[in-house]
Amino acid sequence: MNKHSCRAARVAERRSHGGVIGAARRPAAVTAALQASLIDHAVRLVRRAGADALTMRALAQEAGCSPGLLYKLFRDRDALVAAVVDHQFRRLAADLGDFVARAGTGEVAGNLERFAEVLLGPAAQVIRLAAGTPVAARFAESAHDSGFVDALPRTVTEYIAAEKRLGRIDPSVDERAIGFLVTGAVHNLLVSGEAYPRPSPPEVGRLLGSLARLLEPRR
């Protein structure tokens, strides 16, 4: 490695088929893996220190490399933020895709709480990176391209429907109504910002638990 060597680059080497790739493919494969590793470092930095902490210099220190390497891979901080936000939207979409499969496992209250955690947890903090930057204009594009926009409105509805089929929710429950209310409430907290009055995570869990009890099969 040259003077731009860093821990992230070594991770990239390991990711690239154990380092066994053809010479013609090596640059592109290693570059993509290196970008992915740096995005992972950026996510960890934001989760630990907040969105304002993500600068090119801070990321270089986090990853153990020189700022020069970052500018070879990301044009500027906005380009880095765009890549991080896109990565987090794709992660959220994948998490939502897994949520419906939780039907029949655990408790309904706990599963609904998990839905809120997925949207309001660390990924949300990272997505807020784009607020007030030129990247904000690309929010909708990233959200659509990742599959997040398609998954969000139907996830709770499909989950409630699955629990109804399993007999864990009363058959009279309107899954579309519950999906609309739960998703709308959690999405409002996601986009409203910290200044908006909001319940604490334990309170969100309590509220969803109360809702889950109302959905139980009637004896």
Side-chain angles (χ1 to χ4, degrees), residues 18-43:
V20 183
I21 55 177
R25 291 181 56 206
R26 185 181 182 88
V30 172
T31 295
L34 179 53
Q35 287 175 322
S37 181
L38 288 169
I39 288 171
D40 288 342
H41 280 289
V43 169

Side-chain angles (χ1 to χ4, degrees), residues 139-158:
F139 244 53
E141 182 180 349
S142 290
H144 276 91
D145 291 348
S146 67
F148 174 75
V149 169
D150 289 335
L152 180 61
R154 56 183 171 79
T155 296
V156 174
T157 297
E158 292 180 359

Side-chain angles (χ1 to χ4, degrees), residues 121-192:
Q125 183 184 22
V126 175
I127 287 175
R128 292 195 190 104
L129 272 170
T133 74
V135 179
R138 295 180 50 188
F139 244 53
E141 182 180 349
S142 290
H144 276 91
D145 291 348
S146 67
F148 174 75
V149 169
D150 289 335
L152 180 61
R154 56 183 171 79
T155 296
V156 174
T157 297
E158 292 180 359
Y159 168 75
I160 296 295
E163 293 285 22
K164 282 174 63 176
R165 291 192 295 270
L166 294 169
R168 303 212 311 168
I169 286 179
D170 193 84
S172 67
V173 169
D174 184 339
E175 61 266 24
R176 293 181 64 188
I178 299 301
F180 174 77
L181 292 172
V182 172
T183 303
V186 175
H187 182 262
N188 182 60
L189 294 176
L190 173 66
V191 301
S192 59

Side-chain angles (χ1 to χ4, degrees), residues 12-138:
E13 292 284 356
R14 291 196 295 270
R15 286 182 176 179
S16 299
H17 303 280
V20 183
I21 55 177
R25 291 181 56 206
R26 185 181 182 88
V30 172
T31 295
L34 179 53
Q35 287 175 322
S37 181
L38 288 169
I39 288 171
D40 288 342
H41 280 289
V43 169
R44 286 195 290 272
L45 176 60
V46 171
R47 289 180 178 178
R48 186 179 69 250
D52 291 342
L54 182 61
T55 65
M56 300 297 266
R57 184 170 296 278
L59 178 57
Q61 293 176 344
E62 179 80 11
C65 60
S66 75
L69 174 62
L70 300 187
Y71 284 103
K72 288 177 180 288
L73 297 165
F74 304 101
R75 182 180 65 257
D76 52 24
R77 183 181 185 275
D78 285 342
L80 170 64
V81 168
V84 171
V85 169
D86 183 68
H87 172 271
Q88 291 302 96
F89 268 127
R90 293 184 186 282
R91 179 172 180 176
L92 281 173
D95 286 344
L96 291 178
D98 293 338
F99 179 76
V100 178
R102 299 174 73 93
T105 66
E107 297 182 351
V108 172
N111 289 337
L112 291 178
E113 186 175 359
R114 172 58 182 160
F115 172 78
E117 290 173 350
V118 165
L119 290 185
L120 302 178
Q125 183 184 22
V126 175
I127 287 175
R128 292 195 190 104
L129 272 170
T133 74
V135 179
R138 295 180 50 188

